[in-house]
Amino acid sequence: MKALTLASCLGALIAGMAVSNAALAQTKACLITKTETNPFFVKMKEGAAAAATKSGISLQTFAGKLDGDVETQVAAVESCIAGGAKGILITPSDSRAMVPVIAKARQAGVLVIALDTPLEPASASDAVFATDNFKAGELIGKWAAAKLGDKTKTAKIAMLDLSAQQVSVDYLRDQGFLKGFGIDIKDPKKIGDEGDLRVVGHDVTQGNEEGGRKAIENLLQRDPGINVIYTINEPAAAGAYEALKALGIEKNVTIVSVDGGCPGVRNVKQGVIGATSMQFPLLMAAKGIEAIETFVKSGQKPKATEGLDFYDTGVELITDSPVPGITSITSDEGLKKCWG
C-alpha cells in the first residue's frame, strides 16, 4: 500500500512537472525598452534574450523611437496583451503616462515588471527590478563634494537631466546627487526647486551625446564658470565633455554620471568622467525573465528587497580617484564587470 502511495505521488509529481514545462514552452514574454540604440538597453536586451533562451520562453522585443516615446510603448503593451504574453518587462518612457495601459495588462493576468525606471506609484507594476537610483546619484554627489573639498562652498554646478517629463529615474538621480553634494532638496520628486545658488541650472539631454552637448552649451551661456557637471547618463556626459573640449576648458570641470557601461567606464579611465555609478541592466533583465518563469510555474510574484519598494540589483561607484569614506572600484575593475 505504501509502495502504491509512493508511486502515485511520484506519478503526480512527474505529471505536474510535465504540465509546468509544457506551459513554459508555450510562454510568451515581452521586453519593452525606451530605445533600441542606447547601449544600456542593448545590454538589457542581451540579458533578457539569453535568459529566455535558457528558460525556453518565447521573447518579443519592442522599443520606443526615442526616449520619451510613450505612444510606441503603449502600442507595444497592447500588442503583448493581444498576443497572449504571460509577462512584460518594461523600462517606461514616462513613469506616469504608462500606468493606465499597464493596469490593463495586469487586469488581463499579465505579470508586469518595471526595469530600471519605476512607475508612479511603484505599485502600478507587479514588481520593479532596478538600481537604487537615488543612491547612485548620492554616491557621485558625495564623491564630487569630497574631490572639491573646501571649494564646494563656491561650486558652480550644471545639472544635465533627462527630459521635461521628469520621470522617476530622472529625479531620483538628480536629487540623489544634490543630497550627496550637500545641497538641500525640497520636493525629492521635483527637479529644479532646490534654490541653492551653487546650482547654475538644469537642462535636458534626452540621454544622448547631442543632448549633452547642447545642454552644457546652454548652461555655459548662463555661467561660463561652471566647474561641476552632473549628467543623467554617460552618453550625455560624453557630449558635455566634447563641448568643453571644443572650448578648451575640459580640464577645469569635473563630470560625474550614472550607468557604468563599458564605454562610460573607459571614459573614466581616460579622464573624461571623474566618477560614475555602475548599474547592472543585464542582471535586471535576466532576473525579470526568471520571475516570469516562476510566475508561470507557480503563480508566485517576485518580492522587493527588504525595506524597499523594488528589487535592488545593486550599484557600484567607479573612479580612478578614490576618496576616503566612499567605497569605490577602479576603472580596470569596472571594465571586468560593466553592465553584468
Side-chain angles (χ1 to χ4, degrees):
M1 189 70 178
K2 288 183 179 180
L4 179 61
T5 302
L6 178 60
S8 299
C9 290
L10 286 172
L13 178 61
I14 292 170
M17 289 175 64
V19 170
S20 178
N21 289 337
L24 194 61
Q26 298 171 16
T27 296
K28 296 178 182 179
C30 294
L31 171 68
I32 306 169
T33 55
K34 295 178 184 178
T35 73
E36 60 183 2
T37 54
N38 186 312
F40 184 86
F41 301 122
V42 172
K43 182 59 69 172
M44 187 175 279
K45 184 176 177 179
E46 288 177 15
T53 298
K54 181 179 178 181
S55 300
I57 290 174
S58 174
L59 179 69
Q60 283 187 292
T61 60
F62 304 83
K65 297 172 184 176
L66 49 85
D67 209 317
D69 179 6
V70 175
E71 291 78 11
T72 300
Q73 286 201 323
V74 168
V77 173
E78 296 277 10
S79 177
C80 293
I81 297 170
K86 295 296 185 183
I88 295 174
L89 308 178
I90 183 168
T91 58
S93 281
D94 189 312
S95 48
R96 303 176 190 92
M98 292 300 298
V99 169
V101 74
I102 294 300
K104 183 178 179 180
R106 294 178 71 189
Q107 288 166 6
V110 182
L111 180 74
V112 181
I113 299 175
L115 303 181
D116 180 57
T117 304
L119 292 161
E120 293 186 56
S123 59
S125 62
D126 291 293
V128 181
F129 290 172
T131 305
D132 186 333
N133 281 295
F134 191 91
K135 181 179 178 180
E138 194 172 14
L139 281 172
I140 55 175
K142 287 181 176 179
W143 179 88
K147 289 298 292 181
L148 263 67
D150 291 339
K151 293 181 180 179
T152 56
K153 298 175 183 178
T154 56
K156 294 186 176 183
I157 306 168
M159 303 292 293
L160 272 56
D161 298 304
L162 180 60
S163 67
Q165 285 79 18
Q166 296 196 19
V167 296
S168 55
V169 68
D170 201 4
Y171 65 68
L172 287 169
R173 294 180 186 182
D174 174 295
Q175 299 290 281
F177 168 83
L178 292 175
K179 182 181 178 183
F181 197 84
I183 291 174
D184 183 44
I185 57 176
K186 295 180 181 178
D187 183 345
K189 293 186 176 182
K190 185 175 182 181
I191 290 174
D193 67 346
E194 58 279 342
D196 192 303
L197 295 179
R198 289 176 290 178
V199 179
V200 172
H202 298 254
D203 207 334
V204 298
T205 65
Q206 304 305 322
N208 59 51
E209 288 193 27
E210 180 64 14
R213 183 184 65 78
K214 288 182 177 179
I216 194 58
E217 287 175 348
N218 292 339
L219 292 173
L220 282 168
Q221 290 179 20
R222 190 177 301 180
D223 191 331
I226 288 169
N227 60 358
V228 177
I229 301 176
Y230 153 85
T231 62
I232 179 68
N233 66 5
E234 292 157 0
Y241 179 82
E242 288 304 314
L244 298 175
K245 190 175 180 181
L247 295 170
I249 59 173
E250 73 276 12
K251 296 186 183 300
N252 304 334
V253 183
T254 296
I255 301 176
V256 293
S257 196
V258 179
D259 262 358
C262 292
V265 176
R266 282 192 284 271
N267 275 342
V268 171
K269 188 175 181 65
Q270 294 166 10
V272 172
I273 299 172
T276 192
S277 287
M278 178 179 283
Q279 306 181 87
F280 301 98
L282 191 150
L283 178 63
M284 292 177 201
K287 286 287 186 184
I289 293 294
E290 289 174 13
I292 293 172
E293 178 181 0
T294 299
F295 177 69
V296 171
K297 287 182 175 180
S298 69
Q300 182 179 344
K301 296 181 179 182
K303 296 180 180 180
T305 300
E306 186 175 355
L308 300 173
D309 60 1
F310 63 96
Y311 182 95
D312 188 358
T313 51
V315 61
E316 290 207 51
L317 183 68
I318 313 295
T319 183
D320 288 332
S321 300
V323 297
I326 304 176
T327 302
S328 64
I329 63 175
T330 67
S331 60
D332 284 336
E333 292 171 308
L335 284 170
K336 295 177 182 177
K337 60 194 304 185
C338 48
W339 280 354

